[in-house]
Amino acid sequence: MNRFTQMAWLIRGVMIEVLRRQMLWILFLVMGGYALVSLAVRQQGMDGVGAASFMLNLGLYMAGMLAQLLTALLALRQFPSEMENRTIYPLLAKPLDREVLVLGKWLACSLGGWLVYVMFFLLAWLCAPKVENLSGGLLMQLLMIQPLLLAWVSAFSLAVSLCFPRGVSHAMVIFMLFCGDAICQWGAEKWPVFNALPRFGSVDLATRFTDGIGAVPWGESLWMFAYVCLWIVLSLDVARRLFVRRAL
């Protein structure tokens, strides 16, 4: 069995896990509630520029954050749960290279986040009141950066889950997702070392898009892509090193 076949089986296993998890359906209920409110706003004729922009911004923000949350929780439980339930031993006995296992888990968790984001994005886009004069170029940049952002969340969560106990790792990742950008901005004014912390919100273009601002200059957007890719590589390398050296 070659590496691509091994990773395909790993991805299949994680996808089955995603469908079985209760949290996925809870997130769908949350987005379903948003969809009903958006449709009610459109039905009542409250589709002015301000209301339409707010509803679209809320929908795209929720789509991004819920997809990130699902990706993070999915990645955080992969290795701790496998080791706790001792199901990792049959995987490694195939034999399955540890580096392939890390890469397969990362791709699977990323793919789960991508699929959820696409569904939630379409739900928000179709249900929210229409907003005029939005930038097509910025929309393309938004849809290009989101898969990388979710891949970053997946890689970062895997690395953190191998560094810290389960409760600490969950709290750390969720805090960085929801509050990390604000904390980094606040701390960087006093201590430059805060600039080295991951800032997931710094590459989220949803608010800029719904505010009707033009596309990000390509030089700046290339830097954003490079920033995210650098964090993905760094996080995956940390996860790989920790897992390869771990005694099982």
Side-chain angles (χ1 to χ4, degrees):
M1 185 182 297
N2 59 41
R3 291 192 171 193
F4 292 106
T5 304
Q6 291 173 342
M7 284 193 288
W9 279 103
L10 287 170
I11 291 172
R12 179 178 179 273
V14 175
M15 290 299 100
I16 293 174
E17 179 186 350
V18 170
L19 294 175
R20 289 177 177 175
R21 284 185 64 79
Q22 185 179 11
M23 182 182 177
L24 174 63
W25 308 112
I26 293 175
L27 297 183
F28 268 106
L29 286 176
V30 173
M31 282 303 296
Y34 161 81
L36 291 176
V37 172
S38 295
L39 292 174
V41 169
R42 295 179 65 173
Q43 186 69 24
Q44 295 297 323
M46 297 182 295
D47 54 355
V49 176
S53 179
F54 171 77
M55 292 305 300
L56 181 59
N57 177 262
L58 178 62
L60 296 187
Y61 174 80
M62 289 177 63
M65 289 307 302
L66 293 179
Q68 290 176 38
L69 181 62
L70 178 69
T71 303
L73 294 178
L74 189 63
L76 282 167
R77 75 181 305 273
Q78 290 303 309
F79 289 115
S81 294
E82 293 273 18
M83 289 184 282
E84 180 180 331
N85 298 328
R86 305 181 71 84
T87 54
I88 199 166
Y89 298 107
L91 289 175
L92 296 176
K94 289 207 179 278
L96 180 64
D97 187 82
R98 291 195 181 195
E99 294 184 356
V100 174
L101 183 56
V102 171
L103 187 60
K105 292 287 190 181
W106 167 67
L107 285 173
C109 296
S110 301
L111 180 59
W114 299 340
L115 294 176
V116 168
Y117 179 75
V118 169
M119 290 185 285
F120 286 178
F121 176 88
L122 291 176
L123 189 63
W125 185 263
L126 294 174
C127 294
K130 300 305 177 185
V131 181
E132 302 294 334
N133 301 320
L134 295 177
S135 171
L138 185 56
L139 176 61
M140 182 175 66
Q141 291 174 333
L142 169 65
L143 296 178
M144 289 172 62
I145 198 69
Q146 279 296 332
L148 286 176
L149 177 57
L150 291 170
W152 176 16
V153 172
S154 175
F156 181 76
S157 301
L158 285 175
V160 172
S161 72
L162 290 167
C163 287
F164 302 99
R166 179 172 297 188
V168 176
S169 63
H170 278 66
M172 180 180 297
V173 171
I174 293 175
F175 176 81
M176 292 306 299
L177 285 178
F178 288 95
C179 308
D181 196 44
I183 294 297
C184 290
Q185 290 180 357
W186 170 80
E189 298 177 357
K190 301 178 180 180
W191 303 284
V193 70
F194 273 73
N195 289 314
L197 296 175
R199 295 178 57 182
F200 299 99
S202 64
V203 295
D204 192 344
L205 302 176
T207 300
R208 180 186 178 101
F209 172 67
T210 55
D211 285 346
I213 303 175
V216 177
W218 283 107
E220 183 180 343
S221 66
L222 288 175
W223 169 247
M224 290 172 58
F225 286 114
Y227 173 76
V228 176
C229 290
L230 179 63
W231 268 106
I232 292 174
V233 172
L234 178 62
S235 299
L236 282 177
D237 186 59
V238 171
R240 179 189 64 83
R241 291 175 184 272
L242 289 172
F243 187 61
V244 168
R245 296 175 181 177
R246 184 179 290 259
L248 294 174

